[in-house]
Amino acid sequence: MDSTESTKGKESVQKRSPLDLIMNQLRRKASFTERKKPAVGRFFRPSESSDKRNVGIPEVKESEASEGKENNEPGKEIKDTDDETGSLVGWGRVKQFVQKLGKTPHSQNLSLSHCDLTATDVVELATLLPFLAQLEVMDLSWNDLVGGSLKALTIHLQHVGKLRVLKLCSCRLTDQDLTALGEALDCIPLIEVLDLSWNLGVGAGNFRHLTEHLQPQSTLKELRLVDCQLSETDITALSEALPMLSSLEELDLSNNKLSIKGMENFTSSLGSTPRLKTLKLSMCGLSKDSLSVLGQALRFIPALEHIDLSCNKEAGGGLTTLTTNLVLLPHLRCLDMHLCCLTKEDVLALVQVAPSLKDLRELDLSFNKSVGDTLPNLLQTLPLSQITKLPLNNCALSTHACNALATAMQMLKQLERLNLSWNKCVGENLRQFLEPLQPDCKLQELRLSSCNLTTEDVLHLESACQRGALSHLKQLDLSYNGSVGDGGWMSLFEKAAALKGLEELDVSLRPSAPLSVSPWLPALLKALPQLSSLTRLSLQHWALSLAEREKLEKILSKKNVIMECDRLATPTPNAAS
């Protein structure tokens, strides 16, 4: 159910008159004989369309049950009334159970993550499933005590045959739980998303207890097994199961150590998943040889759109064998290889194939120092006009690279996220990045943390705000730039009203001697009421007096803005304005 339908359901309940509510309570207590009598509620029926009354979900049927229904067959009226009353009472139990856990009941989405569920709660939830026939999403993640008691729930899954999403992250699942879940898969034939991430019990050779119950032509589209300590035995079980997962579109094996043998077994079965669009192998200990094995398998998954190979520090020097096969992926939109210790030769190999990646939208090479010298070559071959995300943080950008990127900004018309943090050459050069930006700029995220920005840089940022070039900005990170003077911050906040869509602003300092906010705080206080979308303001390591902090909190509390600020200290002299 989408948010509109949910709102309609709530409105339907709210439209009941007080008398209708009273009659509803009386009817619940009525005897069997009394329920055969015409209901008084039918004479006080609220005026609402039949469409709303017949949606067929518990939230709306709760109001329907208070209305008598005309029927010329007395026997059928009794049966229908009993069924509806039973359904209403059952939904009442569901609401009571969910609300006691601090959650909001919903007939199609049951989210009970982080609820400290006990084995007793799992048993009680199982008895409520008959009243959740419309359920499509069930999330029991981050409840440690679910592990070992899952069978009490799975034996009742036949009551939620419409279930499409099941999340059991970090539930301490055991091999018995996997067996119980596998045996119940037939009861949820529409299941599309299964997330078992952060369950160590899924690994250690136990994954076969689930996979041996998979049936051909499974409807599963997304399988997530992040940090499950999968062994070679588990990878083999997965490889043997892939032929039954022909509808699979996303597979996430991140944070699982994959040996060469494991990669060979795994990739040999990828041809059975021709619809695979997303493959995530972040932090899997991939080596140069692993990338070579993966590269040879890419021809079997031509639909692939998103590859995440990030945080594989031993992969450096192996990109050459992978990139030659990237041309076989005509739909590739996102390539993430941040923190992979890429060499200069790796980046140059990517330069050679970049012209063939015509659908590429996101390229993440951040935290790779070799990018600093090779970025100009890469920018000449990328499809810049359609790139939306370009993180270059901590890439040791040279002055030449900065100049090349500044020139390329004119062609980055669709760019939404730019991260230049931890590149010192940006300081004193921000102007050249900002000047090409036009009022139709789509930039939503700009991160310039620890860039050695100066007061003049921030003044150029203020100028870009003033001319409307940053009107779509949602996240602005200017943290760890202590060399910016008071005049820079004051000028920025005076023009901050132009950032009407801004949601997050970070101007934190390094955790060293604090500077005073006093010179520019009045400008910030004046700007805050105009920043209607702001949800988070970070002023870490700035020194505020108690009075200044109270002024800030008074304004921010009215706007429900989270403030991150940790000091009430005597400031050191600020940088020159």
Side-chain angles (χ1 to χ4, degrees):
M1 176 188 291
D2 58 27
S3 58
T4 303
E5 292 174 326
S6 178
T7 303
K8 286 182 179 179
K10 292 176 182 177
E11 289 176 351
S12 177
V13 175
Q14 292 171 350
K15 287 183 179 180
R16 293 178 294 165
S17 67
L19 181 56
D20 207 21
L21 292 171
I22 295 172
M23 296 308 302
N24 182 35
Q25 296 298 322
L26 292 174
R27 189 169 292 103
R28 291 183 182 182
K29 299 178 181 180
S31 65
F32 175 80
T33 304
E34 289 172 331
R35 286 201 303 271
K36 293 195 293 181
K37 299 178 181 178
V40 178
R42 73 170 58 126
F43 300 110
F44 299 93
R45 178 174 299 161
S47 59
E48 56 179 329
S49 70
S50 60
D51 289 337
K52 286 186 179 180
R53 293 198 304 271
N54 295 323
V55 171
I57 58 175
E59 294 97 318
V60 180
K61 281 193 171 184
E62 183 174 299
S63 62
E64 286 183 354
S66 65
E67 304 169 5
K69 292 192 175 182
E70 302 290 347
N71 197 306
N72 294 325
E73 302 178 37
K76 183 176 181 180
E77 181 182 348
I78 295 172
K79 183 179 184 300
D80 290 347
T81 304
D82 286 344
D83 290 343
E84 290 183 8
T85 302
S87 177
L88 180 58
V89 171
W91 177 243
R93 287 180 55 203
V94 171
K95 289 206 308 182
Q96 184 180 19
F97 176 76
V98 174
Q99 288 172 345
K100 79 175 182 180
L101 296 171
K103 299 287 187 174
T104 302
H106 194 291
S107 66
Q108 290 181 306
N109 189 335
L110 184 64
S111 179
L112 299 178
S113 61
H114 298 279
C115 283
D116 294 325
L117 295 179
T118 64
T120 303
D121 292 325
V122 174
V123 172
E124 183 177 356
L125 175 59
T127 67
L128 299 176
L129 292 186
F131 310 110
L132 289 167
Q134 305 299 320
L135 194 64
E136 295 184 4
V137 179
M138 178 156 52
D139 186 356
L140 305 181
S141 300
W142 306 101
N143 289 290
D144 289 347
L145 298 182
V146 169
S149 59
L150 192 62
K151 187 172 183 178
L153 182 70
T154 58
I155 59 176
H156 295 283
L157 286 182
Q158 71 273 13
H159 298 295
V160 288
K162 295 183 179 181
L163 194 68
R164 296 181 182 275
V165 178
L166 178 59
K167 297 182 180 181
L168 296 167
C169 304
S170 191
C171 286
R172 293 191 179 181
L173 299 184
T174 65
D175 55 342
Q176 292 91 346
D177 294 323
L178 293 179
T179 299
L181 179 58
E183 292 173 346
L185 289 178
D186 287 342
C187 299
I188 44 177
L190 302 180
I191 191 71
E192 295 180 352
V193 179
L194 180 60
D195 195 342
L196 303 177
S197 299
W198 296 288
N199 283 291
L200 303 186
V202 171
N206 294 326
F207 192 50
R208 63 181 177 81
H209 293 295
L210 173 68
T211 58
E212 63 188 12
H213 295 284
L214 289 172
Q215 299 297 319
Q217 304 303 316
S218 167
T219 58
L220 201 63
K221 292 183 178 180
E222 299 178 19
L223 177 60
R224 301 180 189 133
L225 301 169
V226 179
D227 197 11
C228 287
Q229 290 196 1
L230 300 180
S231 64
E232 280 191 14
T233 302
D234 298 311
I235 295 299
T236 299
L238 173 62
S239 303
E240 294 172 350
L242 285 180
M244 289 174 281
L245 301 177
S246 58
S247 297
L248 197 65
E249 296 181 2
E250 178 178 331
L251 178 61
D252 192 347
L253 301 179
S254 298
N255 290 45
N256 290 288
K257 182 72 173 180
L258 299 181
S259 65
I260 289 294
K261 183 178 179 180
M263 280 293 292
E264 290 174 344
N265 288 338
F266 163 60
T267 56
S268 66
S269 299
L270 284 179
S272 304
T273 58
R275 300 180 186 178
L276 193 67
K277 295 180 179 180
T278 299
L279 178 60
K280 297 184 179 182
L281 300 173
S282 176
M283 206 178 295
C284 285
L286 302 186
S287 64
K288 293 187 290 185
D289 293 335
S290 300
L291 293 189
S292 178
V293 171
L294 176 61
Q296 295 171 18
L298 292 182
R299 65 181 183 274
F300 300 120
I301 43 177
L304 204 59
E305 298 180 0
H306 184 159
I307 306 178
D308 183 357
L309 302 174
S310 61
C311 304
N312 287 291
K313 296 183 179 182
E314 298 177 10
L319 193 56
T320 303
T321 56
L322 178 69
T323 54
T324 54
N325 292 286
L326 287 180
V327 296
L328 302 175
L329 304 176
H331 306 294
L332 187 64
R333 299 173 64 89
C334 176
L335 177 61
D336 188 348
M337 296 201 68
H338 77 266
L339 199 60
C340 282
C341 296
L342 298 181
T343 64
K344 181 177 180 180
E345 288 70 28
D346 287 327
V347 181
L348 292 177
L350 184 58
V351 169
Q352 296 300 315
V353 300
S356 302
L357 306 179
K358 300 185 182 302
D359 279 359
L360 194 65
R361 298 291 188 275
E362 302 180 8
L363 178 62
D364 191 345
L365 301 179
S366 57
F367 293 95
N368 287 291
K369 303 292 185 181
S370 60
V371 175
D373 293 326
T374 53
L375 183 63
N377 305 78
L378 188 59
L379 292 173
Q380 291 176 7
T381 58
L382 287 175
L384 297 179
S385 61
Q386 58 194 36
I387 295 293
T388 61
K389 179 182 177 182
L390 191 60
L392 293 168
N393 42 304
N394 208 352
C395 282
L397 297 184
S398 62
T399 301
H400 179 48
C402 281
N403 292 336
L405 179 58
T407 302
M409 291 298 293
Q410 302 176 18
M411 292 171 280
L412 291 166
K413 300 291 186 181
Q414 303 300 319
L415 191 63
E416 297 177 357
R417 289 182 279 179
L418 178 63
N419 192 341
L420 299 176
S421 298
W422 304 94
N423 287 293
K424 305 303 181 184
C425 69
V426 176
E428 300 183 347
N429 291 301
L430 188 59
R431 177 180 181 178
Q432 60 181 336
F433 294 101
L434 299 175
E435 282 189 341
L437 302 183
Q438 300 300 317
D440 62 347
C441 174
K442 293 180 170 57
L443 202 61
Q444 297 180 18
E445 179 181 317
L446 179 59
R447 299 193 179 277
L448 302 168
S449 178
S450 192
C451 283
N452 277 357
L453 297 184
T454 65
T455 299
E456 187 176 356
D457 289 322
V458 176
L459 291 177
H460 289 304
L461 184 62
E462 173 264 317
S463 177
C465 294
Q466 187 69 5
R467 68 173 187 271
L470 300 175
S471 59
H472 295 289
L473 204 62
K474 294 182 179 180
Q475 284 94 30
L476 178 59
D477 185 357
L478 301 175
S479 61
Y480 294 2
N481 286 291
S483 55
V484 176
D486 295 332
W489 298 123
M490 187 182 304
S491 181
L492 177 64
F493 295 136
E494 286 175 349
K495 306 299 181 183
L499 300 173
K500 293 182 179 179
L502 194 66
E503 297 176 359
E504 298 182 11
L505 175 62
D506 191 344
V507 293
S508 300
L509 295 176
R510 286 187 175 85
S512 56
L515 300 176
S516 174
V517 303
S518 299
W520 48 262
L521 183 61
L524 175 60
L525 293 174
K526 186 176 180 180
L528 285 175
Q530 302 175 70
L531 299 176
S532 57
S533 300
L534 193 68
T535 59
R536 187 179 75 89
L537 174 64
S538 186
L539 299 172
Q540 296 280 20
H541 312 304
W542 283 96
L544 289 85
S545 67
L546 180 60
E548 289 170 335
R549 184 168 189 139
E550 289 177 346
K551 286 180 181 179
L552 265 175
E553 290 177 342
K554 182 177 180 180
I555 294 177
L556 296 179
S557 62
K558 294 178 181 179
K559 297 167 57 67
N560 293 321
V561 176
I562 297 173
M563 181 175 70
E564 298 175 356
C565 183
D566 59 353
R567 285 183 181 269
L568 288 173
T570 302
T572 59
N574 286 22
S577 300

